[in-house]
């Protein structure tokens, strides 16, 4: 008779999870805290606290539903501290004769599970059905297409799901309201405050354990305010739908010097660990549009992120791995700038984006793409260094969503599979979309000289360095036209300015590891915390 062990990973905290469906009465559910997963990149302390607290609450909810649950804590003496060996150990402990697991968030684990499958203790691997699409759906859509553009994938998902559809036509008469969604920040705007989540004894203990075990990682649990239960996640969802959604579209691309969240939903972490479903968040946004509470550009803008981008990057990840992770089309070799770990830079936009990351384990999309991402692109930071950083520092980071965004969208390392051109920009763009530059020691209007914004010379330097292959890109024709018309002396001065900047840029091969520039000691994480 079959007695399965149902392995539930830290980002599978949904009662609707396939693994938990049709579970026989004798099944044992396993949830495992393991050091290997917490340390393979130095995850932010909020992210570890989130996983520990949410997993412990989920185990409690499962027990209340009558499941038999084995929960391995970090402190258990017999914990093997690896997901695979821990699942096998628990299976043997309870006399289980198979392990069932849904597709995890990383190819690395999926592969390890496939490799462990054996007749003595089989691993039965199941498709994770909590998304709108499966990797097979994406594969079918991608089959035979030369370019895998989001827009076409997204339209197909709108038709398939009927979200914001009126018959065969998109609601509001257009598929895409991006054009209305590019308003820059205005100092006078007020942003909704976040709900404050109460920390019960389980949450307090989880945060204390995160701090005790991982005190060397970025961040402090003091200001931890992420939802760790389904109930708390629903509070965040309703709060966003009531107070953020109406302005979500308009200010989607804006950046603020002081406000970390603006009108963004901050739902990604709850979505990615399974406390919310993508279906319910899209339906909630759609309902508000049909109630007449929010404009179409807001509802469509939000739904495009979840139904479009989120599904699209997941499809790309699972159909392109493992070779995707090795892509580096522009041949970048630089280590990560050291200040990415401690925000110690006089470039205001970067200082604020990184400090907000240290404080909240969160930065909104445009900070990730056009500030930290854009700077790394212009400096030529190598994909593995940048990907490890994004994976470590954000509470919502899981490789299936982080990797395509970083390697494909930010670094253009996949040769344009994901984006038709690199998202490179000069200081002018940041000045237009944010209120950072008025607080900065550099001027976004100057390209050379000691007060010139470094983004400006780096921008032209990047275009010049990567003219082959980028000047063949039809979407970059205009900008290469400007570069080609530039006087030689100006080009030379810009090149020198950028090279000087890059030569003195201190880099670090990893968190807490020595920097490459002689004479500079990267502050330890403790020093980071004290200097804040
Ligand atoms: C370099 C880089 C790394 C990123 N890494 C991650 C990551 O590890 N995890 C992650 O969830 N998102 C990642 N993103 C996408 C996006 O930045 C975050 O989803 C978003 O900032 C989360 O904040 P929010 O919930 O307030 O999003 P909102 O702006 O409110 O958007 C609503 C939801 O749409 C989804 N979404 C929006 N943009 C994207 C996108 N480009 N890809 C996938 N889903 C999207 C998210 O689920 C998000 O919660 C990354 C983007 C970049 C440029
Ligand atoms: S001047 Fe340049 S470095 Fe300073 S905030 Fe503006 S864009 Fe950033």
């Amino acid at each position: 008779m079959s007695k399965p062990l149902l392995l539930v990973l830290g980002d599978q905290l949904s009662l609707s999870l396939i693994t938990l469906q049709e579970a026989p009465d004798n099944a044992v559910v396993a949830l495992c805290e393991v050091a290997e997963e917490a340390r393979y990149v130095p995850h932010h302390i909020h992210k570890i606290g989130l996983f520990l607290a949410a997993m412990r609450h989920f185990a409690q909810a499962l027990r209340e539903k009558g499941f038999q649950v084995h929960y391995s804590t970090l402190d258990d003496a017999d914990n093997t501290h690896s997901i695979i060996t821990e699942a096998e150990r628990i299976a043997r402990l309870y006399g289980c004769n198979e392990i069932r697991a849904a597709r995890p968030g990383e190819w690395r684990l999926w592969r390890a599970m496939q490799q462990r499958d054996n007749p003595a203790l089989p691993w039965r691997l199941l498709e994770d059905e909590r998304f709108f699409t499966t990797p097979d759906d994406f594969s079918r859509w991608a089959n035979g297409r030369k370019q895998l553009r989001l827009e076409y994938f997204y339209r197909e998902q709108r038709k398939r799901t009927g979200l914001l559809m009126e018959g065969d036509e998109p609601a509001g008469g257009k598929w895409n309201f991006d054009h209305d969604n590019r308003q820059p920040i205005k100092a006078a705007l007020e942003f909704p405050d976040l709900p404050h989540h109460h920390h019960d004894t389980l949450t307090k203990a989880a945060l204390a354990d995160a701090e005790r075990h991982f005190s060397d990682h970025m961040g402090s649990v003091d200001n931890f305010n992420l939802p760790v239960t389904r109930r708390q996640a629903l509070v965040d969802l309703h709060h966003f739908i009531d107070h953020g959604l109406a302005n979500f579209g308009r200010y989607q691309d804006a950046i603020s010097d002081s406000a970390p969240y603006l009108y963004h939903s901050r739902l990604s972490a709850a979505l990615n660990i399974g406390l919310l479903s993508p279906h319910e968040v899209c339906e909630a946004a759609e309902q508000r549009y049909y109630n007449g509470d929010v404009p179409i550009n807001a509802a469509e803008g939000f739904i495009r992120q979840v139904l479009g981008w989120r599904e699209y990057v997941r499809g790309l990840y699972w159909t392109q791995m493992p070779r995707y992770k090795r892509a580096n089309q522009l041949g970048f070799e630089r280590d990560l700038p050291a200040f990415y770990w401690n925000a110690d830079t006089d470039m205001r936009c970067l200082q604020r984006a990184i400090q907000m990351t240290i404080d909240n384990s969160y930065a909104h999309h445009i900070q990730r793409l056009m500030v930290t991402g854009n700077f790394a692109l212009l400096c030529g930071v190598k994909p593995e260094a940048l990907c490890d950083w994004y994976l470590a520092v954000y509470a919502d980071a899981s490789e299936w969503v982080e990797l395509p965004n970083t390697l494909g969208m930010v670094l253009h390392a996949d040769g344009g599979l994901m984006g038709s051109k690199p998202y490179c920009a000069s200081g002018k763009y940041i000045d237009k979309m944010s209120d950072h530059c008025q607080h900065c020691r550099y001027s976004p209007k100057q390209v050379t000289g000691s007060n010139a914004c470094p983004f400006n010379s780096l921008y032209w330097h990047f275009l010049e360095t990567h003219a082959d292959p980028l000047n063949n890109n039809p979407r970059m024709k205009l900008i290469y036209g400007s570069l080609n018309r530039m006087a030689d002396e100006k080009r030379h001065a810009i090149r020198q300015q950028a090279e000087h900047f890059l030569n003195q840029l201190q880099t670090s091969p990893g968190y807490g590891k020595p920097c490459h520039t002689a004479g500079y000691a990267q502050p330890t994480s403790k020093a980071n915390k004290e200097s804040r």
Side-chain angles (χ1 to χ4, degrees):
M1 187 178 135
S2 167
K3 179 175 181 181
L5 182 89
L6 312 179
L7 178 63
V8 174
L9 302 176
D11 57 358
Q12 298 181 340
L13 309 182
S14 322
L15 289 173
S16 63
L17 186 73
I18 180 93
T19 328
L20 298 172
Q21 300 301 310
E22 297 166 26
D25 290 344
N26 64 350
V28 178
V29 180
L31 285 114
C32 312
E33 296 174 3
V34 292
E36 190 176 83
E37 294 304 313
R39 284 204 190 278
Y40 77 105
V41 292
H43 300 289
H44 194 291
I45 205 94
H46 283 201
K47 184 178 180 187
I48 297 178
L50 167 72
F51 273 82
L52 299 189
M55 284 169 69
R56 292 177 191 188
H57 279 99
F58 192 67
Q60 191 180 50
L62 287 175
R63 286 192 183 110
E64 282 164 11
K65 293 229 163 273
F67 284 96
Q68 183 183 4
V69 178
H70 179 98
Y71 193 95
S72 303
T73 73
L74 285 169
D75 290 317
D76 288 349
D78 46 5
N79 189 331
T80 61
H81 288 294
S82 138
I83 286 285
I84 303 290
T85 54
E86 194 57 6
E88 290 178 348
R89 181 183 75 81
I90 300 165
R92 281 192 290 272
L93 196 66
Y94 288 86
C96 296
N97 49 19
E98 79 171 15
I99 297 174
R100 292 185 196 168
R103 184 189 287 270
E106 294 206 7
W107 186 87
R108 165 185 66 90
L109 272 180
W110 187 235
R111 186 85 190 108
M113 288 173 179
Q114 287 171 332
Q115 284 173 338
R116 291 302 280 214
D117 186 29
N118 69 85
L121 184 54
W123 279 74
R124 204 169 127 209
L125 304 181
L126 308 166
E127 193 49 79
D128 188 346
E129 293 178 342
R130 297 171 303 155
F131 295 82
F132 285 102
T133 52
T134 62
D136 280 350
D137 293 333
F138 188 87
S139 224
R140 273 191 293 275
W141 172 79
N143 191 22
R145 285 174 193 263
K146 276 200 195 126
Q147 294 185 319
L148 303 181
R149 293 290 168 252
L150 172 274
E151 190 59 33
Y152 301 112
F153 172 79
Y154 166 60
R155 288 180 191 184
E156 190 157 313
Q157 300 321 314
R158 289 271 297 278
K159 289 183 202 155
R160 222 170 70 123
T161 58
L163 278 164
L164 287 183
M165 292 299 291
E166 291 166 359
D168 290 342
E169 295 301 314
K174 284 197 294 182
W175 292 104
N176 183 322
F177 291 83
D178 248 1
H179 189 69
D180 305 337
N181 288 355
R182 296 196 181 122
Q183 299 253 345
I185 194 75
K186 288 195 201 127
L189 281 177
E190 279 183 20
F191 306 107
D193 284 336
L194 291 178
H196 190 78
H197 295 302
H198 167 71
H199 295 176
D200 64 7
T201 43
L202 267 189
T203 303
K204 281 185 190 149
L207 295 181
D209 285 351
E211 190 130 67
R212 181 164 54 86
H213 284 280
F214 306 100
S215 61
D216 53 334
H217 290 205
M218 178 187 279
S220 144
V221 295
D222 294 348
N223 56 343
F224 180 90
N225 189 28
L226 288 161
V228 297
T229 62
R230 167 124 176 105
R231 203 179 56 75
Q232 290 182 342
L234 284 171
V235 169
D236 279 8
L237 171 60
H238 294 141
H239 184 273
F240 166 68
I241 295 287
D242 288 344
H243 304 289
L245 179 61
N247 279 312
F248 174 86
R250 256 198 305 169
Y251 297 107
Q252 207 177 330
D253 285 2
I255 317 174
S256 161
D257 197 64
S258 52
Y261 305 109
L262 292 89
Y263 297 105
H264 290 276
S265 68
R266 210 203 49 157
L267 294 176
S268 49
L271 275 167
N272 293 353
I273 64 171
L275 299 181
L276 293 174
S277 85
H279 306 74
E280 70 188 330
V281 308
C282 288
E283 282 158 16
E286 181 192 45
Q287 191 57 50
R288 282 307 168 98
Y289 166 68
Y290 285 126
N291 290 350
D293 300 334
V294 304
I296 183 68
N297 64 308
E300 189 281 318
F302 180 75
I303 288 173
R304 176 147 33 89
Q305 305 310 312
V306 181
L307 174 67
W309 280 110
R310 188 167 184 269
E311 297 290 322
Y312 169 81
V313 298
R314 184 165 180 271
L316 257 192
Y317 177 80
W318 283 110
T319 52
Q320 300 300 317
M321 282 296 279
R323 65 181 181 283
Y324 198 70
K325 202 169 172 173
R326 296 190 294 269
N328 186 4
Q329 202 221 11
L330 297 175
F332 291 160
E333 288 181 345
R334 193 177 301 278
D335 281 326
L336 193 75
F339 65 74
Y340 273 54
W341 294 114
N342 58 21
D344 186 10
T345 170
D346 58 5
M347 297 173 73
R348 180 74 181 194
C349 50
L350 283 159
Q351 197 283 331
R352 295 306 296 137
I354 296 167
Q355 190 60 57
M356 288 177 192
T357 301
I358 294 171
D359 291 345
N360 308 315
S361 194
Y362 176 90
H364 62 73
H365 186 66
I366 298 301
Q367 288 174 310
R368 297 187 207 193
L369 182 63
M370 300 310 296
V371 181
T372 46
N374 181 27
F375 184 75
L377 170 74
L378 299 185
C379 293
V381 175
K382 60 187 175 192
E384 66 264 35
L386 194 68
C387 291
D388 277 0
W389 183 78
Y390 280 106
L391 191 59
V393 302
Y394 292 116
D396 59 26
S398 195
E399 194 178 83
W400 65 265
V401 51
E402 172 277 321
L403 189 76
N405 272 295
T406 311
L407 186 141
M409 200 185 303
V410 162
L411 292 179
H412 205 67
D414 62 5
L417 192 64
M418 186 166 173
S420 54
K421 76 176 199 42
Y423 284 87
C424 53
S426 69
K428 251 195 222 160
Y429 173 86
I430 295 172
D431 190 28
K432 183 173 141 212
M433 300 309 294
S434 78
D435 55 348
H436 286 312
C437 301
Q438 57 200 266
H439 304 285
C440 187
R441 88 152 200 75
Y442 298 106
S443 161
K445 297 194 168 51
Q446 293 181 30
V447 183
T448 52
S450 58
N451 292 329
C453 167
F455 277 95
N456 292 340
S457 56
L458 290 174
Y459 174 68
W460 292 112
H461 180 263
F462 168 80
L463 291 173
E464 194 170 55
T465 311
H466 301 288
D468 180 18
L470 297 180
N471 67 0
N472 292 325
N473 184 325
R475 292 195 61 202
M476 302 197 70
K477 217 172 155 185
L478 259 184
I479 198 64
Y480 273 102
S482 303
L483 180 64
N484 294 337
R485 283 192 301 277
M486 209 181 264
D488 280 352
E489 292 123 70
K490 191 171 170 192
R491 257 175 103 143
H492 178 70
I494 293 175
R495 195 180 307 129
Q496 274 202 319
Q497 174 96 10
E499 278 167 7
H500 175 72
F501 179 88
L502 289 172
N503 287 339
Q504 54 80 51
L505 183 67
Q506 290 150 352
T507 58
S508 161
Y511 191 50
K513 296 190 184 140
C515 299
H516 282 157
T517 305
Y520 176 86
Q522 186 189 340
T524 62
S525 61
K526 190 157 183 298
N528 296 348
K529 288 174 188 175
E530 282 164 359
S531 70
R532 254 184 284 135

